[in-house]
Amino acid sequence: MGLTDAGEREAAREELVEAFARFLALQRGHSPHTVRAYLTDVGQLLDHLAQGAPAGDGPLAGLDLATLRAWLAEQRGRGMSRATLARRTAAVRTFCGWAFRAGHLEQDVGARLRSPRPDRHLPTVLAVDDTAHLLTAAEERAADDDPVHLRDWAALEMLYATGVRISELVGIDVPDVDARERTVRVIGKGDKQRVVPFGVPALRALTAWLDRGRPALAGPTSAQALFLGARGGRVDPRTLRGALHRLTAAAGVRDLAPHGLRHTAATHLLAGGSDLRTVQEVLGHTSLATTQRYTHITPERLLAAYSQAHPRA
């Protein structure tokens, strides 16, 4: 595609990116977070292609397998993590496949692009006692009935009780919670819904938040959001991340992010005797292989299972 000037090239690029965004959201069903991440990755690829390209060339001029490999190798050389490279590879492979089917490329140049194996680093996991110290610190801070403190206590209890992602937690609405059955409806990746149980401590914290905390923060922008920010709108994930970091410090336990609390919940479920299939359902993983990578089995549980099941143990 030949373009007469840089302005036309930029317009063609914007049109291309907008069409790809619609494909990701409407046909693939990706979340807004995933769409933004993919568009960021594709935008950096297009920036790379534009460097030194003649003004009359289209935004995809020069895109081939060798270019993709050189672009990823350059980023790896700058110290980019394997996990980020794997996500970036998936994004551009999806983009190239879409561009080929939409007629923007003569061939699917990303079809043979291989993803680097992600690093096997596991998130920080808290011991059961340390988790109890963390949640006790959150409860004690909420004893002053400050709405923000009540929210943080309930949010942390729910993160640990359900193992949901932080993005899933902030997306929960009040009607999604069934207090009688102690379950919550969660919308996960790809808009897939699942119902996750939670325990009595989480219900107690959630009841305190709904009775004494949420009404104090609720306003015109609250709608049905379960967890609210200080201004009354749906709470931002970064706000809860900050609260978690502050509370780990107050409790004197290892610092961790919300994803680490999700991993802690999964690890404690396995250590308590839950099977992988159940943990898979709770976490909302499509593939059991994902759950196997995400969790780890303690040597003690492995030995106990072996001793119980193997006829020659």
Side-chain angles (χ1 to χ4, degrees), residues 201-215:
L203 176 62
R204 188 161 56 87
L206 202 56
T207 300
W209 158 246
L210 290 173
D211 288 349
R212 308 194 302 275
R214 190 181 185 279

Side-chain angles (χ1 to χ4, degrees), residues 11 68 89 109 124 131 158 176 180 188 191 229 254 260 276-277 305:
L68 289 175
T89 301
V109 297
T124 299
T131 307
M158 288 295 287
D176 294 331
R180 175 173 298 192
D191 285 336
R254 295 174 64 187
L276 268 174
R277 289 287 183 187

Side-chain angles (χ1 to χ4, degrees), residues 117-223:
R117 292 191 177 188
D119 295 323
R120 295 289 181 172
H121 299 305
L122 294 174
T124 299
V125 175
L126 294 180
V128 173
D129 288 346
D130 284 345
T131 307
H133 290 324
L134 170 64
L135 297 175
T136 297
E139 181 178 1
E140 289 176 349
R141 194 179 69 151
D144 61 3
D145 270 358
D146 183 302
V148 170
H149 295 167
L150 288 168
R151 179 203 65 202
D152 294 345
W153 173 35
L156 263 60
E157 286 279 7
M158 288 295 287
L159 279 172
Y160 175 63
T162 62
V164 297
R165 302 173 180 90
I166 186 67
S167 59
E168 295 170 341
L169 181 79
V170 301
I172 295 173
D173 289 336
V174 174
D176 294 331
V177 178
D178 188 330
R180 175 173 298 192
E181 296 294 329
R182 295 208 310 274
T183 60
V184 59
R185 184 174 64 93
V186 178
I187 300 177
K189 292 183 176 181
D191 285 336
K192 293 181 180 179
Q193 298 184 16
R194 68 185 189 279
V195 175
V196 184
F198 58 86
V200 172
L203 176 62
R204 188 161 56 87
L206 202 56
T207 300
W209 158 246
L210 290 173
D211 288 349
R212 308 194 302 275
R214 190 181 185 279
L217 296 182
T221 61
S222 301

